Amino acid sequence: MTEPALAEQVHYTAASGALSSVWLLIAIPLASAVVLLLAGRRSDRWGHILGCASIGASFVLALWYFFALRGLGHKAVSEHLGSFIQVGGYKVDWGILYDPLSATFALLITGVGFLIHVYAVGYMSDDPGRRRFFGYFNLFAASMLLLVLGNNFLMTFIGWEGVGVASYLLISWYQDRPSAATAGKKAFLMNRVGDAAFLVAMFLMFGYLGSTDFATVFNGVGALPHGVTLAIALCLLGGACGKSGQFPLQAWLPDAMEGPTPVSALIHAATMVTAGVYLIARANPIFDATTIGSTIVVAVGAFTLLLGSIIGCAKDDIKRVLAYSTVSQIGYMFLAVGLGGGAYALGILHLLAHGFFKAGLFLGAGSVMHGMKDQTDMRRFGGLWRYMPVTWVTVGLGFLAIIGIPPLSGFFSKDPIIDAAFARGGWQGWVFGLAALLGAGLTAFYMTRLFVLTFHGKKRWTEDIEHPHESPAVMKVPMILLAIGSVAAGGLLVYGGFTGWLEPVFGTTEVPGHEYNKGLMIGISLVVVLLGVAIAWLLFRRGTAETEQPARTAIVRAARENLYGDVVNETLFELPGKLLTRAAVFIDGKGVDGIVTGLAAIVGGSSSRLRRLQTGFVRSYALTILGGALVVVAALMAVKLG
């Protein structure tokens, strides 16, 4: 197979002026987290204000740095902060890389993150641990900023692990709930599987190139044997799948809904789950050097987007529908970055648009829960649009954006990915293009179902719900701003030259291979989406049963069981571990311990029997001596006569 031509040499200039202080983006939320976690209850009254102010300050700085970078001719600057590891010939520095890709992520993390922080002030107002919650939130944001701003893979990995620790603390926030503790552990352990693959990738980089620095690795890819390049690419993909909830490491992401809703919004919209997409996009010279590796990325994305969509159609928990929606939408992003070339920018474009509408949808779900006494079952909602008009409008705009109705964000970000998938050509173009198109229809179906069951139809409330109420202003304002972003972000980014902005990172923004009428493709996509909306509206406009009904088809049963993903994991990974543990316990108990215990029993039993000979009676001893003498005489006679 012919491999693509290698990219030009990567070069970063030294940061100067305003950009020499980019490290403040990380330092400010990190310092706030340290204060909030060490100050204890003394910061209960002002901890949430500090938490919001720190991420807000980082957003202001990110804007300043963004405009400073726009004014530069060479839009990729690096700043050396110090030496981190120096052992023999191996040296790793603390350093910052600020280029269009990291600048874009910094704006998303701090901007959307700030709105979610403000929303959490209202959502967590009754929680006695709110100060600690904001400490974890700031730690999460600082780790994510370190992940996207580091200038080498090791710094990225440190941020990667920081995000993992913070997510564990936040997902298992409600410590009195066993389900939350289990979900936190599940997320932590499944992410470690991906992290192990990421570590192997770094070991290979160091072994063959002597460095994990971005510039050194990217410039040295051309000298690597193809098998090594493919191994590094696949290991990076393994790490990305773990962090972004992609097949086969997707099972932890829906369970992460056990955390408070702002946690779900932060993880799903602006930070953690986008890390895998960032890693593949950042390592684009590696994936461009191996067609097999990039094709596997596309296949993982296409399969996962269908998997998430199918399961999302069968869930009744409003947060889990959104969670599987995230799994599916990240699949679109993987598909795009796997296509390479100009499609890298399409993946990042969809990531940004998704950040707005998915954050808005999660905050809307939190608002519904706030008014419905923390209930999440859509079968017990209905008719809420009259009682929660702001939530209805903001969620409605997010719903229209995610299904790709023009001119909202999803139309500008998702449809070009479907278009690019078909443009790949050959059987791959048909397979991946049809998967992306079918995913669009399924997205329209499950999101319409969510919207209709929640806000329309007759009331199906439980008896303890008397009068659902709208959320306070501190929660509504972030929802309104995110809804505006859901509407306008796609068009603004496309017509504002966003893909050209990323050209210094990806080299090109042109998607090759358009051999058909693009307008026709958009029309077909829109028809599929409207078909999904119409079917869901016809099925659920009058509501649904208040309890789960027997599944009539195998696909519904499978979807309710998460397409047996947990069963597969338990069979392939958990069950062998259990059997191995039981075998080890058996060998230890019956084998090692049995031998030792048996020897001890033999010695103890023999001693006990011998002890009985020591009776203290002279007649017993005389009888023993007589017996011994008879034995000796008998032996002598036997020898004599023999």
Side-chain angles (χ1 to χ4, degrees):
M1 181 175 292
T2 303
E3 292 301 330
L6 295 174
E8 297 179 356
Q9 290 287 299
V10 176
H11 171 66
Y12 307 129
T13 58
S16 61
L19 294 178
S20 61
S21 60
V22 172
W23 56 271
L24 284 173
L25 288 174
I26 306 167
I28 292 174
L30 182 61
S32 173
V34 171
V35 170
L36 292 175
L37 296 176
L38 294 181
R41 295 181 178 177
R42 285 168 291 188
S43 61
D44 278 351
R45 296 178 61 184
W46 46 266
H48 56 289
I49 299 174
L50 177 62
C52 292
S54 63
I55 195 73
S58 288
F59 176 61
V60 173
L61 284 174
L63 279 174
W64 183 36
Y65 297 139
F66 169 76
F67 286 109
L69 187 67
R70 283 192 63 183
L72 295 181
H74 188 270
K75 291 181 174 55
V77 298
S78 180
E79 183 182 9
H80 177 261
L81 299 176
S83 293
F84 174 45
I85 297 175
Q86 187 166 5
V87 180
Y90 182 52
K91 182 182 178 183
V92 178
D93 294 332
W94 290 107
I96 298 292
L97 171 62
Y98 197 69
D99 66 354
L101 183 61
S102 52
T104 300
F105 270 86
L107 281 172
L108 176 70
I109 296 164
T110 56
V112 175
F114 173 69
L115 294 177
I116 297 172
H117 273 64
V118 173
Y119 177 94
V121 172
Y123 192 89
M124 302 295 291
S125 59
D126 296 329
D127 195 303
R130 186 171 64 170
R131 176 262 316 163
R132 185 163 46 87
F133 180 84
F134 276 92
Y136 295 160
F137 246 33
N138 281 172
L139 176 63
F140 196 104
S143 300
M144 191 65 197
L145 287 165
L146 175 64
L147 191 158
V148 300
L149 291 172
N151 69 350
N152 59 69
F153 282 99
L154 185 57
M155 282 190 68
T156 299
F157 185 76
I158 294 172
W160 196 270
E161 291 302 298
V163 169
V165 171
S167 66
Y168 167 74
L169 295 170
L170 288 167
I171 293 170
S172 54
W173 176 257
Y174 297 119
Q175 298 173 356
D176 56 335
R177 300 180 187 174
S179 58
T182 302
K185 286 188 290 186
K186 188 174 183 179
F188 192 83
L189 294 175
M190 292 199 74
N191 271 277
R192 298 293 79 71
V193 177
D195 295 353
F198 193 171
L199 278 172
V200 173
M202 287 195 295
F203 294 155
L204 289 172
M205 292 174 198
F206 175 67
Y208 282 89
L209 300 170
S211 175
T212 56
D213 179 75
F214 287 156
T216 305
V217 171
F218 297 157
N219 291 329
V221 167
L224 292 176
H226 179 256
V228 175
T229 306
L230 177 60
I232 293 175
L234 294 181
C235 288
L236 291 176
L237 173 62
C241 286
K243 199 62 77 182
S244 291
Q246 296 293 286
F247 179 81
L249 299 174
Q250 80 284 356
W252 69 269
L253 194 53
D255 287 2
M257 296 300 99
E258 291 292 338
T261 300
V263 174
S264 306
L266 193 65
I267 289 177
H268 284 244
T271 54
M272 186 166 172
V273 298
T274 63
V277 183
Y278 168 81
L279 182 65
I280 295 176
R282 172 60 72 194
N284 66 88
I286 298 174
F287 286 93
D288 286 344
T290 166
T291 303
I292 298 174
S294 57
T295 301
I296 293 175
V297 175
V298 177
V300 168
F303 182 78
T304 310
L305 77 86
L306 286 178
L307 181 145
S309 298
I310 292 171
I311 299 175
C313 293
K315 294 297 176 184
D316 297 312
D317 184 307
I318 187 171
K319 288 181 67 178
R320 288 188 180 270
V321 174
L322 294 177
Y324 277 106
S325 169
T326 301
V327 172
S328 177
Q329 298 303 310
I330 299 288
Y332 275 106
M333 299 172 206
F334 267 60
L335 190 156
V337 296
L339 291 172
Y344 280 116
L346 297 181
I348 302 303
L349 175 64
H350 190 53
L351 187 152
L352 290 176
H354 179 263
F356 283 102
F357 55 66
K358 186 50 63 68
L361 288 168
F362 266 114
L363 297 192
S367 180
V368 170
M369 292 168 59
H370 189 263
M372 297 292 285
K373 296 186 176 180
D374 285 335
Q375 293 190 34
T376 59
D377 191 342
M378 296 187 300
R379 294 172 299 191
R380 305 313 299 260
F381 293 163
L384 290 178
W385 71 277
R386 295 179 184 276
Y387 302 87
M388 310 177 76
V390 174
T391 303
W392 174 59
V393 171
T394 56
V395 172
L397 292 174
F399 151 61
L400 295 175
I402 194 173
I403 66 174
I405 296 297
L408 281 77
S409 293
F411 171 74
F412 292 99
S413 63
K414 189 163 59 180
D415 276 22
I417 295 176
I418 300 173
D419 190 19
F422 275 110
R424 189 173 179 87
W427 67 267
Q428 291 186 13
W430 282 105
V431 170
F432 299 140
L434 288 174
L437 189 62
L438 178 59
L442 291 171
T443 302
F445 177 85
Y446 68 70
M447 284 305 303
T448 304
R449 176 173 178 265
L450 179 150
F451 189 70
V452 171
L453 288 182
T454 302
F455 294 102
H456 295 276
K458 64 180 182 181
K459 303 173 185 177
R460 302 179 301 278
W461 309 342
T462 52
E463 294 179 355
D464 57 329
I465 304 295
E466 297 178 356
H467 187 77
H469 56 84
E470 189 59 271
S471 298
V474 72
M475 294 170 64
K476 284 189 295 189
V477 171
M479 291 162 54
I480 293 170
L481 294 176
L482 288 169
I484 293 172
S486 302
V487 173
L492 289 175
L493 289 170
V494 169
Y495 294 112
F498 175 72
T499 54
W501 162 253
L502 291 175
E503 199 163 291
V505 181
F506 302 131
T508 177
T509 55
E510 183 181 353
V511 181
H514 292 276
E515 298 176 350
Y516 48 84
N517 189 321
K518 191 172 183 179
L520 176 63
M521 192 64 246
I522 294 174
I524 293 173
S525 175
L526 196 56
V527 168
V528 171
V529 167
L530 293 177
L531 190 62
V533 172
I535 293 173
W537 173 263
L538 290 173
L539 290 175
F540 300 106
R541 71 187 189 282
R542 301 185 189 281
T544 188
E546 297 174 2
T547 57
E548 185 171 292
Q549 302 300 302
R552 297 178 180 176
T553 61
I555 186 66
V556 173
R557 285 193 292 274
R560 287 179 179 176
E561 294 296 328
N562 305 331
L563 294 185
Y564 305 111
D566 288 331
V567 175
V568 171
N569 287 336
E570 290 168 3
T571 304
L572 294 181
F573 303 106
E574 187 177 342
L575 183 60
K578 283 183 175 178
L579 294 176
L580 183 63
T581 303
R582 289 172 184 170
V585 170
F586 178 81
I587 292 171
D588 181 58
K590 303 296 182 182
V592 179
D593 287 356
I595 294 172
V596 174
T597 306
L599 289 174
I602 292 171
V603 174
S606 301
S607 301
S608 177
R609 285 168 174 77
L610 288 173
R611 186 184 63 191
R612 294 174 185 172
L613 299 176
Q614 304 300 319
T615 61
F617 297 112
V618 176
R619 60 178 182 273
S620 298
Y621 298 149
L623 181 62
T624 303
I625 293 170
L626 178 61
L630 290 174
V631 170
V632 171
V633 170
L636 289 174
M637 291 180 66
V639 172
K640 185 72 174 177
L641 294 175

